[in-house]
Amino acid sequence: MAETNYDLIVVGGGPGGYVSAIRAAQLGFTVALVEKRNTLGGVCLNEGCIPSKALLESSEHFARARHELKEHGIDVTDVKLNLKQMMVRKEEIINKLTGGIAGLMKKNKIKVFKGIGELLPKKDDLCRLNISDQQELTANNILLATGSEAIELKHLPFDGEKIINARDALSLTEVPQRLLVVGGGVIGLEMGSVWSRLGAEVTVVEMLEQILPQTDPQVAQTLQRSLKKQGLEIRLKTRLEKIDVGDKEITATLNSKDKEEELVCDKILVAAGRRARTDELNLEAVGLQPNKAGQLDIDDNFQTATPGIYAIGDLVAGPMLAHKASDEGVVFAERLAGQAATINYPGIPAVTYTWPEVASVGHTEEQLKENDVSYKAGKFFFSASGRALCNGTTDGFIKVLADPDSGRIHGVHIVGPHASELIATAATVYSFAGSVHDLAVTSHAHPTLSEVFKEAALAVNKEAIHA
Ligand code: FAD
């Protein structure tokens, strides 16, 4: 075998690509990974999940110190923001994690190439990849994991200054006085929360009738009320029609129910979705093209229409989530090795890291109704939890949807404190086809937030103790 011939070449070092490379190496494949940016970890580590969570945590401390410590009997005067230090901390976390992945590549003997991976036509049944016109590699299989990027709206082209995307919003050097966020999805609400906590006047405009579309509507309404209490203004069924960019400020024309209104702001964050990144792959060389959604179609083995070329993560259908990309990466490698691995897609949890947090797994009531699946719902509020009261975090509830006869859980929807952690148990019970009866006989430590989950499960059959 030539030195540049691999069992598998992975294009893209995000959570889909690097995790798949590691799993494939563990399974005995020779693996190369090609990444165009200087560090590994993809959008998630460099400009997505991790920096946003670092800033959410820091900004939450700031907001707590200003508004909540007094209630605990702690008098803190003169709380000041050191935004530069906040950003330094965020960068240190990114560097630590991306450096750690570089170490994992070495440990697993994965050869990393820096450059743009571009497909070449297959030759002698081997897949071929050109790296930034410098080098050519061949492989039996190529996995495309090139992820996604922010969608740019025609009337709102990004300039990195006044019209910004999430990446820019993670690195602002000053708190904008007035920030307009276009899009009430996960990214818009998380970034809007960060800058609102740090002092910006934040307005979020969302075209649809609820924030976090696809989420349980009661959960979305509860979150919206909490965000409003925190000072975010949210306008539903509102569209940003046009903007007039002046020297100092931007005048945005909003349209709601055919009424136009002007809103003056300093920056506009466009968080109107993400699109798969296929531009630099030279897909035509192997006879491929993106589907109508801009993604690649794949079969159960993650193989595209071209044998030997596979795709995972944000590049293919499904929720654009880091753990979905990683799960696909693992299952892809295991199937390549002949194992019968699969993914239970409804079992992939989704989380929004606002305050309170939102998390869900399984199906929503709307989906169950659409598919004529009978269910009963049980709900329990954090305001009745001793632990939530001690923590001062009583907004929200947990809703459990279960089969009326067997009690098997169809879905769990949480809006409340630490929802991102609570959902792990829900995902486990759901994935193992567990029921509300399983939760009823499981001892939950007192006082914990997890008791709310047990009570919500008991509430399905009107057996909650503290209701
Ligand atoms: P990516 O992470 O996009 O990685 C693809 C990599 O491929 C990139 O590094 C890119 O440089 C490289 N690449 C592209 N083309 C080429 C080429 N031709 N040659 C070589 N390299 C190439 N998800 C969560 O689950 N939880 C969160 O909390 C969360 N927060 C987010 C916050 C923000 C602000 C954003 C923007 C996203 C967030 N996401 C979150 C989504 C998550 O980041 C993505 O779903 C995830 O990164 C997708 O992984 P991936 O491996 O498919 O692609």
Side-chain angles (χ1 to χ4, degrees):
M1 186 175 69
E3 226 178 77
T4 53
N5 188 74
Y6 294 86
D7 292 327
L8 174 67
I9 299 173
V10 178
V11 188
Y18 87 77
V19 168
S20 191
I22 293 176
R23 187 70 189 118
Q26 286 175 345
L27 291 164
F29 293 111
T30 54
V31 185
L33 187 145
V34 182
E35 168 57 56
K36 67 175 190 174
R37 66 173 90 215
N38 290 329
T39 50
L40 296 174
V43 166
C44 180
L45 268 64
N46 291 284
E47 52 178 279
C49 328
I50 295 300
S52 59
K53 266 79 259 178
L55 292 186
L56 278 158
E57 184 68 19
S58 297
S59 61
E60 191 172 325
H61 285 304
F62 182 63
R64 284 238 160 108
R66 286 174 79 197
H67 308 300
E68 286 176 27
L69 291 186
K70 213 177 175 103
E71 191 191 319
H72 289 263
I74 304 167
D75 283 329
V76 184
T77 46
D78 209 15
V79 177
K80 281 201 191 108
L81 174 65
N82 182 343
L83 185 59
K84 205 170 163 199
Q85 168 54 25
M86 206 176 269
M87 293 295 171
V88 166
R89 175 181 181 272
K90 176 205 71 173
E91 288 302 323
E92 282 171 357
I93 294 167
I94 295 174
N95 292 342
K96 192 162 190 182
L97 291 174
T98 54
I101 293 171
L104 287 174
M105 295 296 108
K106 276 200 194 113
K107 187 178 157 199
N108 287 283
K109 300 191 172 47
I110 296 160
K111 178 93 176 119
V112 178
F113 294 87
K114 155 109 191 8
I116 296 175
E118 201 187 8
L119 293 160
L120 296 170
K122 285 173 88 169
K123 201 166 149 192
D124 302 332
D125 226 23
L126 281 180
C127 303
R128 296 193 300 144
L129 192 81
N130 172 13
I131 306 173
S132 294
D133 284 335
Q134 308 271 320
Q135 204 166 358
E136 191 184 310
L137 304 182
T138 59
N140 300 328
N141 307 286
I142 290 184
L143 174 66
L144 305 175
T146 51
S148 65
E149 61 194 351
I151 290 177
E152 189 168 54
L153 301 178
K154 267 196 196 133
H155 60 310
L156 293 168
F158 296 128
D159 62 12
E161 281 291 323
K162 288 196 165 114
I163 318 290
I164 60 173
N165 58 28
R167 181 181 42 227
D168 305 319
L170 289 164
S171 299
L172 299 182
T173 50
E174 272 173 39
V175 179
Q177 203 190 329
R178 296 156 299 183
L179 174 68
L180 174 60
V181 179
V182 179
V186 179
I187 294 177
L189 296 180
E190 289 186 1
M191 295 319 303
S193 293
V194 166
W195 292 107
S196 158
R197 291 168 190 172
L198 298 181
E201 277 170 39
V202 175
T203 305
V204 180
V205 291
E206 167 56 55
M207 271 180 1
L208 302 175
E209 355 188 88
Q210 74 166 59
I211 53 169
L212 300 182
Q214 322 289 328
T215 304
D216 177 292
Q218 289 175 346
V219 165
Q221 280 156 21
T222 303
L223 175 65
Q224 187 174 334
R225 274 197 299 273
S226 287
L227 292 175
K228 197 173 167 206
K229 272 196 269 170
Q230 291 162 54
L232 279 92
E233 190 177 337
I234 296 176
R235 308 228 186 140
L236 300 176
K237 292 195 256 176
T238 302
R239 184 189 289 272
L240 197 169
E241 292 288 19
K242 58 174 187 198
I243 52 165
D244 182 11
V245 182
D247 278 352
K248 292 224 166 108
E249 50 191 31
I250 311 164
T251 306
T253 307
L254 307 180
N255 186 321
S256 176
K257 295 182 200 146
D258 288 333
K259 269 203 222 137
E260 288 202 341
E261 187 196 335
E262 286 191 344
L263 187 135
V264 178
C265 60
D266 307 296
K267 282 194 197 296
I268 300 181
L269 163 62
V270 183
R274 297 183 61 79
R275 65 176 191 95
R277 202 168 353 189
T278 54
D279 328 7
E280 293 169 318
L281 282 172
N282 195 24
L283 291 171
E284 313 77 55
V286 293
L288 287 175
Q289 59 179 31
N291 61 22
K292 276 190 192 148
Q295 297 172 312
L296 290 182
D297 289 325
I298 46 166
D299 66 14
D300 289 347
N301 290 320
F302 304 95
Q303 187 162 245
T304 64
T306 304
I309 311 275
Y310 301 80
I312 55 163
D314 283 7
L315 197 53
V316 302
M320 286 186 166
L321 293 170
H323 46 288
K324 177 259 193 187
S326 299
D327 291 352
E328 288 182 337
V330 168
V331 171
F332 155 75
E334 292 177 349
R335 289 180 83 107
L336 195 65
Q339 297 181 7
T342 52
I343 295 182
N344 175 17
Y345 281 93
I348 296 175
V351 177
T352 306
Y353 298 80
T354 42
W355 200 95
E357 293 181 341
V358 168
S360 65
V361 70
H363 300 284
T364 59
E365 291 190 64
E366 289 64 31
Q367 287 166 340
L368 295 174
K369 280 179 201 152
E370 248 168 54
N371 293 306
D372 280 331
V373 177
S374 50
Y375 70 92
K376 282 205 287 190
K379 205 170 170 192
F380 200 82
F381 289 86
F382 284 99
S383 53
S385 150
R387 185 64 190 275
L389 208 60
C390 294
N391 294 356
T393 53
T394 49
D395 277 8
F397 60 84
I398 299 185
K399 186 195 271 187
V400 174
L401 308 174
D403 182 85
D405 300 320
S406 68
R408 184 175 167 168
I409 290 177
H410 288 314
V412 177
H413 304 276
I414 310 177
V415 52
H418 299 288
S420 57
E421 300 296 335
L422 291 169
I423 202 68
T425 314
T428 307
V429 178
Y430 177 83
S431 297
F432 285 89
S435 74
V436 294
H437 312 299
D438 296 322
L439 280 163
V441 296
T442 304
S443 183
H444 286 65
H446 176 75
T448 57
L449 299 173
S450 65
E451 289 171 297
V452 176
F453 184 29
K454 179 170 179 170
E455 290 277 40
L458 289 170
V460 167
N461 290 317
K462 301 199 178 352
E463 290 172 349
I465 302 294
H466 297 92

